[in-house]
Amino acid sequence: MPAPQTVPGMLVLAALLCLYTIPASAQTRDVAGARDYPGIGRFAGSVVTGYVVKDFDATRIQAAAFRDGQPTDARRLEGRIVRIAYRTNPGPSILEVSRNFETQLAKAGFETLLACDTEACGAIPFTESIDTLPVPQMWVDGFNYRYFAGRKVEGGRETYASVIVSQNNQDITAQVTVAELGAIANKMVDAAAMAKGLGETGHIALYGIYFDTDKAVLRPESRPTLEQIAKLLASQPQLNVFIVGHTDSQGAYDYNLDLSKRRAEAVAAELTKSFRIAPQRLRTAGVGLLAPVGPNATDAGRALNRRVELVAP
């Protein structure tokens, strides 16, 4: 006979149940920095519950339904990946929300690869093989969902889009994932290039330093660029630098100004902690969107504007 549930255990269980039910329904505005994908938009009355954009990443889509519990046309896509999760209050059906997205994607030039409902797709195993943001950003009920995948080629550029629509506590949940295929850009700038840039123009833009959206926590893949900054400073003991954070124009001015400063400070802190660079050699500043190097009206321009720069005093 199983042991009776203790009071602390029951409290933990109750807290977990609240985590998955109350906060998601209570959200009334988009998460910070979120926006709809151009040309696709959102279902009326929805709020963005999850928003992740990576200049280069990988995602998985299913271009055909499962057969005997196994994928028949699974595709791994690499390039610029946009993931946007939405929640819509009770009222519309899963099919209504999905059909609206499907119609909009068709207008945007996407040809259908797959459009299916739960059993026709492959039930629970199917949902385990697609790319979704974690709970509570996105919720997928493996017993009740609809999935769409589409592809378009325009100007030699290949783009895929998928939509998964499901339900949680009567709210409709949806995630749009867009993969703009492309090779990874070479964003590595070595110590020699940094020295050259500082000597010739007084500054050098670094695109190999990565942060999650709206955060000032360095991602592990930033280490190679940090190593090169440390190498530069070790080779020139007399050199002091400003570390300056930059953002694109998405979001509020004051928020971006603060975010860019915190990101610069995070770089300086890591150089001091992991590479033993004397803190007095590193001064930080954040200028937000005030020094763009590309147009903020385009995705490519915004990607150029999101950067960290080294500046010679």
Side-chain angles (χ1 to χ4, degrees):
M1 181 175 179
Q5 181 74 29
T6 64
V7 172
M10 293 173 68
L11 291 175
V12 170
L13 177 60
L16 287 173
L17 289 174
C18 288
L19 172 66
Y20 291 127
T21 57
I22 296 175
S25 299
Q27 183 174 338
T28 58
R29 62 180 63 186
D30 292 352
V31 296
R35 64 189 185 92
D36 299 327
Y37 190 88
I40 297 179
R42 72 179 72 184
F43 189 84
S46 299
V47 295
V48 177
T49 55
Y51 184 77
V52 178
V53 179
K54 301 293 183 187
D55 291 335
F56 189 84
D57 201 358
T59 188
R60 302 183 310 277
I61 74 159
Q62 299 296 329
F66 273 31
R67 184 178 303 145
D68 298 325
Q70 297 297 321
T72 58
D73 190 356
R75 305 188 186 184
R76 184 180 188 277
L77 309 172
E78 292 188 355
R80 182 174 183 270
I81 309 297
V82 180
R83 300 174 177 93
I84 312 172
Y86 297 95
R87 182 173 293 270
T88 302
N89 289 332
S93 65
I94 289 174
L95 182 60
E96 180 183 6
V97 174
S98 185
R99 290 285 197 205
N100 271 267
F101 275 114
E102 293 168 37
T103 299
Q104 197 65 20
L105 285 163
K107 290 179 180 178
F110 287 87
E111 76 174 285
T112 301
L113 296 173
L114 176 63
C116 57
D117 299 304
T118 310
E119 293 302 324
C121 290
I124 292 176
F126 185 93
T127 63
E128 294 173 342
S129 69
I130 59 175
D131 182 359
T132 56
L133 292 169
V135 174
Q137 296 178 61
M138 178 59 188
W139 179 282
V140 178
D141 180 350
F143 295 97
N144 191 17
Y145 64 87
R146 181 172 175 81
Y147 181 80
F148 170 90
R151 171 182 177 270
K152 77 171 179 179
V153 178
E154 187 175 61
R157 186 178 190 180
E158 190 175 11
T159 305
Y160 287 80
S162 67
V163 181
I164 178 79
V165 183
S166 190
Q167 187 171 328
N168 177 34
N169 292 332
Q170 304 306 310
D171 290 346
I172 301 300
T173 59
Q175 180 174 319
V176 176
T177 303
V178 180
E180 303 166 358
L181 270 56
I184 188 169
N186 181 9
K187 294 185 176 181
M188 274 299 299
V189 178
D190 63 16
M194 293 177 192
K196 185 172 185 289
L198 291 173
E200 292 181 352
T201 64
H203 66 102
I204 181 78
L206 306 177
Y207 292 97
I209 296 178
Y210 302 95
F211 304 90
D212 285 335
T213 303
D214 289 325
K215 294 182 180 179
V217 178
L218 283 162
R219 292 176 59 84
E221 52 265 42
S222 303
R223 187 171 181 86
T225 298
L226 293 171
E227 289 175 344
Q228 293 300 311
I229 298 173
K231 182 178 178 180
L232 165 70
L233 294 171
S235 68
Q236 298 187 36
Q238 78 289 353
L239 177 64
N240 299 328
V241 294
F242 287 99
I243 300 172
V244 183
H246 297 259
T247 69
D248 60 26
S249 64
Q250 301 299 305
Y253 169 80
D254 289 337
Y255 178 85
N256 280 327
L257 206 62
D258 177 66
L259 177 63
S260 63
K261 187 175 189 302
R262 287 188 290 117
R263 286 180 169 178
E265 290 169 349
V267 173
E270 185 64 19
L271 287 169
T272 298
K273 175 185 174 183
S274 298
F275 300 95
R276 299 183 180 179
I277 302 299
Q280 60 268 27
R281 300 182 64 190
L282 309 169
R283 296 182 64 182
T284 60
V287 297
L289 53 84
L290 295 178
V293 291
N296 276 305
T298 68
D299 288 336
R302 286 189 291 271
L304 287 173
N305 293 335
R306 296 188 297 269
R307 68 197 189 278
V308 171
E309 290 201 2
L310 295 185
V311 178

